[in-house]
Amino acid sequence: MIALKNIRVIDLTQVMAGPYCSMLLADMGADVIKVEPPGKGENTRQMGPPFVNGESGAFLSVNRNKRGMTINLKTEEGKKLFHKLATTADVVVENYRPGVVRRLGIDYETLSGINPRIVYCSISGFGQTGPYSNRGGYDLIAQGMTGIMSVTGERGGNPVKCGLPITDLGAGMFACYGILTALLAREHTGKGQYVDTSLFEAGIAMSVWESTEYWYSGQIPQPTGSGHRISTPYQAFKASDGYFTVGADAPHHWPKFCEIIRLPNLPYDERFIDGTVRLKNLSELILLVEEQTKNQTRSYWMEKFEDAGIPAGPIQTYAESLCDEHTLSRKMVTNLEHPIAGSIKALGIPVKLSETPGEIKSPAPLLGEHTEEILQEIGFENEEIKRMRQNGIA
């Protein structure tokens, strides 16, 4: 059995946050029906490079395990078709700008009137309420406005965007969490509900250390490079063949760390005697440490620190990370066969369930690939399906 086997999700989303949310549900067995407009489909199908035999890598990366269907929601017949589909669904996920779904007649109020058990999730840049709710939302904008860019980068440097689309992915995960919570509540109440989250709130919610520093110290958080906000040494250091990270901030790790890097007297130096003063003199500490670490390879230091029980790891490129033996042993890389792109790789499922594990069983759908199949499931006859297809309704 797969955990969400009997849950049907209608996916009206595009680009990153919404598709990522619905993919997480699909990986755990939900029947996710990706609804796109006829013709070109959602915007991500045209995003690239990279393209694989004309198929967008960006689209393939967040739409696996879904079935694809086309509906022209700008027509009255298309709207009625969507309403009929919604009567069979448990969840609807959308990430239009606020107000669009209401104009289309596919908003929560409309659908809950048709199907009171529906859980309806909206993901937007800034949420459905508040002074910024009507603004367009992009990961870059959310990272800037929530403070993330102000604390990313080297000390004293310019603001830098996080290398990952962190508010997009975060909003997708929070949306998934909200949907599953609402589905669990429905087991007790019998009713669905509205779930509202945003890129902006994801950025704020993940700023745990930074908000703490500001509220409890009065200091405005600044960039720390690879370092930690309140602990040191907990950062990257240079080796002869690249960089590695080490977390030797615990009291029992600090003296061992100093012995390994051949600076056994450092723990008794007044500039570095405890964590508080080490943070104040961090620049000096880094210079002293790297004078030692740059003379040996990453693997040399990894072996030394591992033997001493000090957490450490090499800074790897994605070429190294995706081929790492641990990555592969945890099944975080998988292979799929796509009818056009051919053999493609995909990231694995990061949560392992012992009794109802997820499964990656199909690549992202072709545009409208399962339209006829789904229409038949909800009661349409072949002649009616043929007419709707010819008229651009589905």
Side-chain angles (χ1 to χ4, degrees), residues 117-183:
R117 288 176 58 81
I118 202 93
V119 170
Y120 193 111
C121 179
S122 293
I123 307 170
S124 59
F126 295 92
Q128 302 296 306
T129 61
Y132 303 154
S133 60
N134 288 322
R135 293 188 183 183
Y138 288 97
D139 176 76
L140 173 67
I141 310 305
Q143 284 199 38
M145 292 183 68
T146 57
I148 292 173
M149 287 179 65
S150 76
V151 297
T152 306
E154 292 298 327
R155 297 171 188 273
N158 294 327
V160 176
K161 182 177 76 69
C162 175
L164 301 175
I166 193 70
T167 64
D168 261 332
L169 296 172
M173 287 190 284
F174 282 127
C176 186
Y177 153 73
I179 289 167
L180 294 175
T181 303
L183 286 173

Side-chain angles (χ1 to χ4, degrees), residues 31 55 63 66 69-70 86 135 146 168 204 237 245 258 262 265 269 271 280 321 324 364 382:
D31 175 23
E55 295 292 305
N63 286 291
K66 303 177 186 180
M69 181 181 190
T70 52
R135 293 188 183 183
T146 57
D168 261 332
I204 294 287
F237 292 107
T245 55
C258 295
R262 304 186 186 95
N265 294 323
D269 189 314
R271 296 171 297 171
K280 290 179 181 178
S321 172
D324 190 293
N382 289 338

Side-chain angles (χ1 to χ4, degrees), residues 204-271:
I204 294 287
M206 290 187 287
S207 300
V208 177
W209 286 124
E210 291 69 28
S211 59
T212 299
E213 180 180 0
Y214 174 64
W215 283 330
Y216 301 150
S217 75
Q219 302 297 312
I220 297 175
Q222 299 296 315
T224 61
S226 65
H228 195 278
R229 194 154 299 286
I230 59 175
S231 300
T232 189
Y234 189 98
Q235 65 177 79
F237 292 107
K238 189 173 185 178
S240 63
D241 62 345
Y243 288 83
F244 66 92
T245 55
V246 63
D249 53 320
H252 63 289
H253 285 152
W254 170 236
K256 290 182 183 178
F257 173 80
C258 295
E259 285 182 21
I260 290 170
I261 64 170
R262 304 186 186 95
L263 293 173
N265 294 323
L266 216 54
Y268 309 104
D269 189 314
E270 289 185 357
R271 296 171 297 171

Side-chain angles (χ1 to χ4, degrees), residues 192-211:
Q193 60 182 293
Y194 188 57
V195 179
D196 171 14
T197 194
S198 68
L199 277 64
F200 184 82
E201 283 158 300
I204 294 287
M206 290 187 287
S207 300
V208 177
W209 286 124
E210 291 69 28
S211 59

Side-chain angles (χ1 to χ4, degrees), residues 34 111 257:
K34 186 172 183 67
L111 297 189
F257 173 80

Side-chain angles (χ1 to χ4, degrees), residues 2 206 237 286 300 344 346:
I2 300 179
M206 290 187 287
F237 292 107
I286 292 170
Y300 173 88
I344 58 173

Side-chain angles (χ1 to χ4, degrees), residues 241-245 298 302 313-327:
D241 62 345
Y243 288 83
F244 66 92
T245 55
R298 292 181 299 173
M302 293 309 96
I315 293 183
Q316 300 189 133
T317 66
Y318 277 102
E320 294 170 313
S321 172
L322 294 174
C323 294
D324 190 293
E325 62 180 353
H326 192 74
T327 304

Side-chain angles (χ1 to χ4, degrees), residues 15 42-52 54-61:
V15 189
E42 67 122 307
N43 293 339
T44 320
R45 287 189 182 273
Q46 285 76 53
M47 285 178 63
F51 288 98
V52 186
E55 295 292 305
S56 165
F59 183 84
L60 295 175
S61 68

